[in-house]
Amino acid sequence: MNKPLLLTLLLAAGVYAQPGSWKTPGEIKTPTGHWQTPSAHWQVPGDIQVPSGIQVVKEKSRVRLSIGANTLFAFDKANLSPEGEAVLGKLGPTLLKFGSRSAMTIEGHTDSKGSDDYNQKLSEARAASVRDWLKSHQYIPGVSVTVGDGEKRPIAPNTKPDGSDDPTGRQKNRRVEILIQEDR
């Protein structure tokens, strides 16, 4: 087929534009009408999606999920509240993504109110309660371990610099953490 005939056919089919008829960037018109814009944060590949109220800390081959105890339990209790079960239910699919080859440790933590012995027992009971619920819903491997750290590992001060009580700091210290060691 000769070139002028081929060019004519391509132009007629709209497959080819003649030089000089091309648009420069300034000439492109912006579309009009209603456009949907995202209302939430865009997911970045590799990010972990977790429900609100759960903090994620990624380390080299470990991930630490921290859940405030006030989200899971009533004050001074170790049995899960209905709201706590709902939070764990939302967290479950995220835990499944790590697979059964990942080692999981559930850690309980308290603030410094009460005796060391009492806080130790409460942290152990809370960690066991979270582990048992996640296990019963098949979100974590059956060999997952629990650890109660009581008040030994605070992440915030329990008292202000002047020695008075710091309720905000104590609230941060009351938590359950799920430590995931990926692909052991």
Side-chain angles (χ1 to χ4, degrees):
M1 184 177 284
N2 64 26
K3 285 187 180 180
L5 179 58
L6 177 61
L7 185 57
T8 305
L9 290 173
L10 290 172
L11 286 170
V15 175
Y16 180 78
Q18 289 184 346
S21 68
W22 299 336
K23 300 276 185 184
T24 59
E27 298 175 295
I28 298 173
K29 293 184 180 178
T30 305
T32 58
H34 177 72
W35 284 83
Q36 184 177 1
T37 56
S39 59
H41 167 72
W42 284 90
Q43 170 84 17
V44 177
D47 278 359
I48 300 172
Q49 292 183 353
V50 293
S52 61
I54 299 174
Q55 179 185 8
V56 178
V57 177
K58 289 181 89 174
E59 299 166 357
K60 288 186 183 190
S61 62
R62 300 185 322 172
V63 175
R64 184 178 297 273
L65 304 169
S66 184
I67 312 162
N70 59 330
T71 305
L72 300 172
F73 310 101
F75 178 73
D76 204 30
K77 301 290 181 202
N79 53 324
L80 286 165
S81 67
E83 296 83 14
E85 289 184 13
V87 167
L88 292 178
K90 290 178 184 175
L91 178 61
T94 301
L95 294 174
L96 286 174
K97 291 178 184 177
F98 290 99
S100 61
R101 291 186 43 193
S102 297
M104 297 192 190
T105 303
I106 295 40
E107 301 174 344
H109 303 272
T110 65
D111 61 23
S112 62
K113 288 280 187 185
S115 71
D116 291 347
D117 186 50
Y118 178 80
N119 285 334
Q120 182 63 35
K121 288 177 182 171
L122 180 61
S123 68
E124 290 170 2
R126 286 180 167 181
S129 182
V130 169
R131 184 217 37 220
D132 293 346
W133 191 93
L134 291 170
K135 246 173 69 173
S136 71
H137 290 82
Q138 300 175 349
Y139 288 129
I140 62 173
V143 295
S144 298
V145 178
T146 60
V147 174
D149 279 327
E151 60 187 72
K152 295 178 215 148
R153 291 187 32 223
I155 57 172
N158 287 296
T159 57
K160 295 179 182 175
D162 65 2
S164 63
D165 185 41
D166 186 351
T168 305
R170 285 190 304 103
Q171 181 178 0
K172 290 177 183 176
N173 291 329
R174 294 188 303 267
R175 68 197 187 279
V176 172
E177 294 183 339
I178 302 171
L179 180 63
I180 304 162
Q181 182 73 37
E182 297 181 271
D183 296 321
R184 46 183 174 159

